């Protein structure tokens, strides 16, 4: 997506060798008009699938997932990371190693909101090593639901997540794939 790549080039900050900060429009301040364009782009790629739910993980996946769900007119379910007293007793859970926190957490979804009738599109902001997406796929399997595919705003192609998912035959649509980056330059896959 050209406008996304332009925006990453103009506004993103590279931290160390493998973290990209896009707080201007995605991860802290959210540009809702731009997110609408992103949602529409995902819709173009997955509109032929009979999607019933969009699944993401809190917190930064929620805005993109909602923007996408506006086009599909289906509910968004977001997996919770935090321990909460008001989460239902019956939950699907998966242990996920967090790339940004460098620690594991339990991803949880109430069994009320996913079941075997669901055909699910996973949406997330970033794809790095694929652990978050793999956790969501695990939860979809536990629910007996089916997976339509995975939509990612920014894939870091130099990390292994995208390749691993595609090797499993999963349709992965990433709107921008970064092949290399440092503080002076971001190289996109064409
Ligand atoms: P993975 O599970 O694929 O290793 O990492 C993906 C998750 O970590 C995403 O949900 C995203 O929130 C976070 N993440 C991974 N890499 C980055 C990054 O470079 N920048 C930001 N802002 N988040 C990232």
């Amino acid at each position: 997506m050209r406008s996304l790549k332009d925006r990453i080039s103009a506004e993103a900050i590279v931290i160390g060798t493998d973290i990209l900060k896009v707080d201007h429009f995605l991860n802290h301040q959210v540009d809702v008009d731009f997110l609408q364009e992103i949602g529409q782009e995902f819709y173009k790629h997955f509109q032929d699938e009979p999607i019933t739910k969009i699944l993401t993980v809190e917190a930064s996946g929620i805005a993109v997932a909602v923007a996408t769900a506006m086009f599909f007119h289906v509910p968004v379910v977001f997996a919770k990371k935090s321990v909460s007293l008001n989460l239902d007793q019956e939950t699907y859970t998966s242990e996920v190693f967090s790339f940004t926190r460098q620690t594991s957490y339990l991803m949880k979804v109430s069994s009320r909101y996913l079941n075997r009738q669901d055909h699910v599109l996973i949406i997330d902001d970033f794809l790095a090593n694929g652990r978050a997406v793999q956790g969501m796929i695990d939860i979809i399997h536990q629910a007996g639901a089916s997976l339509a595919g995975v939509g990612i705003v920014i894939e870091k192609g130099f990390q292994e997540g995208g390749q691993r998912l595609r090797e499993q035959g999963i349709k992965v649509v990433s709107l921008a794939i970064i092949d290399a980056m440092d503080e002076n330059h971001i190289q996109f896959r064409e």
Side-chain angles (χ1 to χ4, degrees):
M1 186 179 171
R2 187 74 265 160
S3 54
L4 174 64
K5 292 178 186 171
D6 289 347
R7 227 160 151 181
I8 294 169
S9 297
E11 296 174 25
I13 297 167
V14 178
I15 299 177
T17 53
D18 54 10
I19 296 263
L20 191 73
K21 244 171 107 82
V22 282
D23 285 0
H24 282 67
F25 62 93
L26 191 60
N27 292 130
H28 200 0
Q29 171 171 273
V30 175
D31 180 334
V32 294
D33 290 328
F34 192 52
L35 248 60
Q36 194 177 11
E37 284 178 43
I38 285 174
Q40 190 164 27
E41 197 66 27
F42 285 133
Y43 181 69
K44 277 191 213 156
H45 286 278
F46 290 102
Q47 61 183 332
D48 295 334
E49 291 276 344
I51 287 161
T52 63
K53 298 262 166 77
I54 291 184
L55 178 64
T56 190
V57 56
E58 67 177 354
S60 50
I62 297 175
V64 192
V66 169
T68 307
M70 298 282 202
F71 291 91
F72 286 95
H73 301 285
V74 298
V76 171
V77 178
F78 60 92
K80 300 208 177 195
K81 290 177 177 170
S82 46
V83 182
S84 165
L85 284 179
N86 60 22
L87 192 67
D88 294 339
Q89 291 291 309
E90 294 281 308
T91 55
Y92 310 118
T93 59
S94 190
E95 191 175 351
V96 172
F97 184 79
S98 165
F99 177 73
T100 44
R101 296 184 198 179
Q102 290 290 303
T103 170
S104 292
Y105 65 91
L106 265 194
M107 178 184 274
K108 303 191 200 78
V109 172
S110 164
S111 59
R112 284 173 200 248
Y113 304 122
L114 274 187
N115 60 54
R116 59 183 64 251
Q117 271 81 48
D118 282 319
H119 191 51
V120 184
L121 173 62
I122 291 175
I123 293 284
D124 207 0
D125 57 345
F126 274 90
L127 180 61
N129 294 316
R131 306 289 185 85
V133 169
Q134 213 65 64
M136 287 188 268
I137 292 172
D138 183 16
I139 281 174
I140 289 169
H141 287 155
Q142 289 174 43
S146 55
L147 174 66
V150 178
I152 298 291
V153 182
I154 304 171
E155 174 179 339
K156 290 179 291 177
F158 54 87
Q159 293 174 289
E160 65 192 4
Q163 191 186 339
R164 271 203 196 162
L165 293 169
R166 291 183 183 99
E167 279 170 4
Q168 295 170 51
I170 295 166
K171 177 176 173 180
V172 181
V173 172
S174 298
L175 302 185
I177 303 182
I178 295 173
D179 271 336
M181 63 186 197
D182 61 29
E183 57 206 12
N184 303 314
H185 184 64
I186 295 171
Q187 169 99 42
F188 295 100
R189 192 172 299 174
E190 288 312 326

